[in-house]
Structures are given as structure tokens and as C-alpha cells.
Amino acid sequence: MNESAIPSAYTELSRAWRDAALAVLAMAGAAAGSQAVAHGPAAGVLGAVLALALARSHLVTERRGWLEALVLLPVISLASFGVGALLLHAPWLGAAAFVAVGSLPAWARRFGATGQRLGRLLTLPLVTILIVPGLPQRPAWGLPPAFAVVAPAVIALLALACVVLAQGLGQALGWLRPLAPDASTPATPASPAAPATPGTLRPSAPVRLAAQMAASLAAAFAVGLLVFPDHWRWLVLSALLVNTGSIGQFDVVRRGVLRVLGAAGGTVLAMAVAGRAGGDVAAVGGLVLACVFAGLVLRVFGYGWWVLCVTLALALLQTLEPAAEPLLLWRRLLEIAVGAAIATAAASLVWPIPSADILRRRIAGALAAMSEALDPAAAERRPQAVVGTTALVRQMRPVFRAQGVAHRLAGRREAPQAALWIDALLACEAPVLALVERGEAPGTVRKAIGAARQAMREPPRIGPALAVLREALEAAGRHRDDVSAD
């Protein structure tokens, strides 16, 4: 790690543990408060998961997000209650409903950042159904049994309140920025949805992702209910999580491998820790919160650490169920591996989306933002657009690092070209921002950006074009230094 990267890594890690502390605080408050709404561990888990969803989606950091959360959270929670009840009493009908609802978040990507946030809110209650099967059935405070129907909606609003309070504390401590007036200028824009190719019958990327998720979940339910009728939930959960938020075909493979490795490590650790918890709800809850905190912080170093910590948390929650013997835990590991394999097969066979194609689209978006920021005729320069679009490219670096490892294991010495594209583009970010800050727009740089944008249509030209852009930016920087010295 070079000297310039050390402060950046420290800043990122510092921000991660602060965000993790606020998220876990909100989860703890929601879990505890949910017990005042309905008895049983399912109520606490539902509240904690919804609080985590809100904290990570940043839905309530904008004023418009308040209205979205207030309206949609109770509806989503009630819908999850209905799907969970179907899975308990009519498994095949519940499976069909789960597949239909579970594929909606992928389709919602076509609506940009808002669609992704709302899709995440829809996914995590479904995860809760698979973790703890029974949603709240025994209302607290002597309320009538009919209150169990609306209890999930009350718990959702309670989770929202806990997140708002935790983020208010973060703002008071200076950990978070003040509440944004609207959602018009996100810090990191969502990746634009890819339209269907003209003249073909292939649907757009969000539709293909939704089809892959539906096929994965349908196959997982079929295998689970027929082969593992008593313990099918982890198989479906694995298929759901491996596909959720994936960035193309190879990313699903990478996430599937990490899911299995994390599940193996989490299972071993759960067997060592579960005995100490003794099935005590409070002890297990404390350990789960600690695992989530560690996962949120360690995610800075890679997705695999998050997988390990979350898998351990889920395994600990499963110890609250009766008869969680070691043999059963290892059987669940087999189910996780089968679910990951099903998700990988769906991503490879159902309208596959190559990760390199997504990367090319994101690089094109970053180059377009650089071109606009350096346009002398532009009324307003937008360096934040450059930062946001390059962040989307940086997000794909772990995918192609994993591809490089796969290449080396296969005996190939050369690095994947896509990984070199990422390094070349990210090396251009700081020089471009420096030009924007100084109000300069060298013609050679703008010409190189235009050539790189045209090269996006032909993959063999992308690497050389980005190298030319990088050289043009370095030459502009040397020229500036020479002029300053004179």
C-alpha cells in the first residue's frame, strides 16, 4: 500500500465502524422494542433486519425517503407476513408467491437508485422469513390475537423510528452529514439499466436479472421441498443472497464461492460459540449484533468477510430452533452449497449478463461524466458526477480480481483485460478532478476522452485508448508544473 492510500484506507475504515455502530444501535433498539409488540424471537429478528435494511439503504437520509419509508415499510412487512404464512401452511403456494415477490427487486433496478433502495427493503423481510419461519403470533400487553396481523407493520414503523434516532445521534456527533432536502443529487449514482439491444429479442438487463432470480428461486424451492422437505430454507436463502445485488455472471460465481466458504467458516464458529450461548435469546441476540457489527466494518476489506460474519449470525439464530445438532448444521452447509450452485447455473443459463459488458457500460458512463466536466461550453461543471461514476467502476474491482485468481489457477499468466481497464480508468480520476478544480480543459485531454468513448464499442481498443488518456493527463500535469516553475 502506498503512502497516499494509507489515509484513504484509514478514513474509509473509520467511516465504516461509525456507520456500523449506528446501524447496530438501531438494530438493538428495534429488536428490544419489537418484544413489546409481540412475543417470540421472530418479532425481534424482523425489527432488527428491517432496521439494518434502512440503515444500509440510506433511505431516510433524505426527506423524500421519509415518505417512501412511512408508506412502503408497513405494506412490505404485511406482505412478508402473508408470504410467510403461506410457506407455513401451503408451502408450494407460498413458494410461488415468494418467487414472484423475490424477483421484483431485480426488476426495480430499472428505476435507478430509488428502485435499488426500495428493492433492498423488499428483499430483507423475505430473508427474515427464511431465517425465522414464524412471524409474530402472540401479541404482547394482552392484545387480542387479531393484532398479530398488523404487528409486522407496527414493528416496521418502530424500526424506522430507531434508525431515525440513531442517525440523529450520528449527526449530533458529526458522524453523518445533515439531512438532505431531496434525492436529486445522490453521492454515488446507481448504474443505469442497460436497454435491450436494437433489433434483437433480448430483454433489458433488469428484466434478465429478474428472470434469473425467478428461475433460481423456483429451482431452489423445487429441490428444497422435494429433497430437503424439513430443512429447505437455507437452500432457498443461499440462492436468494447469491443472486441479490450481483454484478453480472462472473460476480454470481464469485459470490457463490464466497457464500460456501463463508458458510463453512460460519458453521464451524457457530458450533464453537452456540454451546456458550446455551440457546438463551439474549445471549444469542448479543452475539448476532456483534457479528453484524464486525461484518459491516470488515466489509471494507472485501465481500467475503461480510459473508462470513452474516453466515455466523444466521447460524446462531438457527440455534434458537429446537434440535440444531452439529449433524444438522453440516447438512445445512450442503444445502447452502446446492443453493449457490443453483444460483450460478441460473445466472449462466438464463439470459446471462457478462460482467465485462457491465464494466464497459460503467466505464462509458465515467468517460461521459469526465467529458461533461471538462466541457468549456458547459454552464456548470460537475465533479461529483465524475466521483460517482468512477465509484461504480471501482465497485467492480473485486469481481475482476477474483477472475484474475481464477486465471492463475487455470495456468494463465496474463491478467484479465477488464482488470487493466479498471486500473487505467481509476488512475485518471484524480488528474481529471484537478483539471476541473483549476477550471482547465486541455484539448489533448478532451480529444483522448472522446477517442476512449468511441473505443467502448470495440473491446480490443479499450485498453490502448485508456492508456492514451492516462498519458494525456500526465502530460497536462507536467505542462502545468513547467509553467508554474517558469
Side-chain angles (χ1 to χ4, degrees), residues 440-480:
E440 300 176 3
T444 55
V445 173
R446 290 189 287 111
K447 182 179 179 181
I449 292 176
R453 294 180 67 182
Q454 292 180 353
M456 288 298 109
R457 301 186 183 95
E458 302 177 33
R461 295 176 51 201
I462 296 176
L466 291 175
V468 171
L469 172 58
R470 185 173 181 177
E471 292 172 0
L473 287 167
E474 291 175 351
R478 288 194 298 268
H479 177 72
R480 172 76 180 182

Side-chain angles (χ1 to χ4, degrees), residues 68-403:
E68 293 175 346
L70 283 173
V71 172
L72 293 176
L73 267 180
V75 176
I76 291 172
S77 299
L78 287 173
S80 68
F81 173 84
V83 174
L86 283 176
L87 285 172
L88 285 174
H89 303 293
W92 288 102
L93 183 58
F98 194 103
V99 170
V101 176
S103 59
L104 286 178
W107 177 79
R109 287 190 180 191
R110 64 186 303 163
F111 300 108
T114 299
Q116 290 185 7
R117 291 197 310 269
L118 300 183
R120 189 179 296 119
L121 284 178
L122 184 60
T123 298
L124 287 176
L126 297 179
V127 173
T128 308
I129 295 172
L130 298 175
I131 297 171
V132 180
L135 285 171
Q137 297 292 337
R138 293 178 297 155
W141 303 99
L143 294 171
F147 181 75
V149 176
V150 298
V154 176
I155 292 174
L157 294 176
L158 177 63
L160 172 62
C162 290
V163 171
V164 170
L165 291 175
Q167 292 186 347
L169 176 62
Q171 292 169 8
L173 295 174
W175 291 3
L176 298 176
R177 61 181 175 84
L179 190 68
D182 54 48
S184 59
T185 56
T188 303
S191 178
T197 303
T200 70
L201 297 178
R202 190 172 64 173
S204 64
V207 174
R208 282 181 277 167
L209 289 171
Q212 290 173 7
M213 178 65 80
S216 178
L217 290 176
F221 270 111
V223 174
L225 292 174
L226 293 174
V227 181
F228 306 99
D230 297 326
H231 305 285
W232 52 266
R233 294 178 182 273
W234 276 48
L235 191 152
V236 176
L237 179 64
S238 181
L240 175 67
L241 294 181
V242 168
N243 263 317
T244 299
S246 61
I247 313 174
Q249 181 181 357
F250 190 83
D251 189 37
V252 175
V253 177
R254 179 185 73 97
R255 291 161 65 94
V257 172
L258 291 175
R259 179 69 55 186
V260 174
L261 294 177
T267 299
V268 172
L269 292 175
M271 291 172 61
V273 176
R276 299 180 181 274
D280 180 74
V281 175
V284 170
L287 290 172
V288 167
L289 291 176
C291 290
V292 172
F293 177 82
L296 290 172
V297 174
L298 294 177
R299 188 161 188 167
V300 172
F301 302 105
Y303 175 73
W305 292 104
W306 168 252
V307 171
L308 174 64
C309 294
V310 170
T311 302
L312 175 56
L314 298 180
L316 287 170
L317 284 174
Q318 293 290 326
T319 63
L320 297 177
E321 296 183 7
E325 299 91 355
L327 180 61
L328 183 57
L329 290 177
W330 287 112
R331 183 176 177 182
R332 285 169 179 163
L333 177 58
L334 172 62
E335 296 168 12
I336 290 171
V338 173
I342 289 174
T344 300
S348 302
L349 299 176
V350 181
W351 285 315
I353 306 175
S355 297
D357 289 355
I358 298 177
L359 176 61
R360 286 169 56 195
R361 188 163 59 252
R362 292 189 176 189
I363 291 177
L367 291 172
M370 292 179 182
S371 178
E372 293 176 4
L374 293 177
D375 185 358
E380 179 185 1
R381 296 194 172 191
R382 299 177 56 201
Q384 68 273 16
V386 176
V387 174
T389 52
T390 53
L392 291 173
V393 175
R394 185 179 290 107
Q395 188 183 57
M396 298 196 69
R397 178 177 272 172
V399 177
F400 292 100
R401 281 180 178 172
Q403 192 178 62

